[in-house]
Amino acid sequence: MTSFKTIRARAEKRKGGPKALDQLMPDKPDLKGLAKLGDDRILAEMTRRVFCAGFAWSVIDAKWDGFEDAFLRFQPAKLSFQPEDYWEALLRDTRIVRNGAKIMSVRDNAAFVQEIAKEHSSFGKFLANWPPSNEIALLDLLTKRGSRLGGNTGQMLLRFVGWDGFVTSKDVVACLRDAGLDIAEEVRSKGDLAKVQAQFNAWAEETGLPYTHLSRICALSVGENRSEH
């Protein structure tokens, strides 16, 4: 396998040097901040990622204030007590994108968030205590216990709430394959995910960098050299 030093050098060359690459890095994970994140904000981000899946993110972003109002500011307990006619009315609510399956996922995920919060004090604390060296087990939990949180949606959720993990985007997978990892062009199987996890664990040990930075540098080292602006 290619060392991460080589991958980083390639990304630095593509992006204008070490300082330029550093400026493209996301904030380092803040576990204390994640632990304090309210369950309503966790549910809100779940909902946002579910609705963004297979849809133009810009449309969801433009309507987001309407989502907040329609879904009662994403308070899990309040949503869990809403009667059927509340959910049926959302199918006609122009403040949101009216996708029935995704709307009902909010009800299911409100219950999921409450279950985890009951077990761990809050969903944020649960995530903050989960090690990035075992992201694949966390993704599996999101898939099995959450609603529509499998695959890339679960990875995006973790990224947007500030958890420290990798994302198997097209460029990241291309980087891993170029480095010598035997995985498919689209990482879907548990076997391929396990290989990806093991490689990121090795690079984390090699570099001491957060997984989010490893993933980002990996993506910036290959593919079309797009402008960041």
Side-chain angles (χ1 to χ4, degrees):
M1 286 295 297
T2 302
S3 74
F4 201 79
K5 182 179 180 180
T6 299
I7 293 170
R8 178 164 192 149
R10 188 170 67 219
E12 289 174 352
K13 183 177 181 180
R14 285 162 52 86
K15 294 302 175 182
K19 290 184 179 179
L21 182 65
D22 286 342
Q23 291 177 350
L24 298 176
M25 292 301 102
D27 292 336
K28 290 186 177 181
D30 175 11
L31 294 183
K32 289 184 178 180
L34 178 56
K36 294 178 181 178
L37 194 62
D39 289 334
D40 61 319
R41 293 304 90 200
I42 295 287
L43 181 59
E45 199 58 57
M46 284 182 179
T47 303
R48 198 166 193 149
R49 294 309 118 208
V50 167
F51 274 85
C52 280
F55 207 79
W57 290 20
S58 59
V59 174
I60 305 302
D61 291 344
K63 289 176 131 334
W64 192 249
D65 287 345
F67 273 80
E68 289 278 355
D69 291 338
F71 287 107
L72 310 178
R73 318 308 292 183
F74 296 102
Q75 299 177 61
K78 183 175 287 189
L79 286 169
S80 294
F81 279 107
Q82 295 307 305
E84 286 296 328
D85 57 3
Y86 163 80
W87 298 99
E88 292 173 2
L90 288 174
L91 296 172
R92 303 182 298 275
D93 196 326
T94 58
R95 293 174 296 177
I96 64 173
V97 172
R98 289 162 288 173
N99 179 300
K102 291 185 177 184
I103 287 171
M104 296 314 298
S105 77
V106 181
R107 180 170 69 177
D108 294 339
N109 284 330
F112 170 44
V113 169
Q114 285 185 293
E115 289 170 4
I116 294 294
K118 187 176 182 179
E119 296 167 10
H120 301 272
S121 298
S122 76
F123 207 104
K125 288 181 180 178
F126 163 71
L127 291 178
N129 288 323
W130 194 287
S133 59
N134 196 14
E135 179 175 348
I136 58 173
L138 179 54
L139 293 172
D140 188 57
L141 182 146
L142 291 174
T143 300
K144 291 178 177 178
R145 296 183 62 177
S147 176
R148 305 181 74 90
L149 297 177
N152 186 255
T153 301
Q155 294 179 18
M156 287 292 101
L157 166 66
L158 296 176
R159 175 62 55 87
F160 277 92
V161 297
W163 189 79
D164 186 23
F166 60 79
V167 172
T168 54
S169 67
K170 181 179 179 180
D171 286 343
V172 169
V173 173
C175 166
L176 288 163
R177 284 165 57 86
D178 181 75
L181 195 65
D182 182 21
I183 54 175
E185 291 185 6
E186 291 188 18
V187 174
R188 298 182 183 277
S189 71
K190 289 185 177 181
D192 277 355
L193 274 172
K195 292 178 183 178
V196 172
Q197 181 76 73
Q199 189 54 51
F200 272 104
N201 289 351
W203 281 338
E205 185 174 352
E206 174 190 339
T207 65
L209 291 173
Y211 286 66
T212 52
H213 287 200
L214 294 170
S215 184
R216 181 75 169 137
I217 293 168
C218 200
L220 294 173
S221 74
V222 297
E224 183 182 350
N225 198 10
R226 296 178 290 270
S227 170
E228 301 301 319
H229 302 287

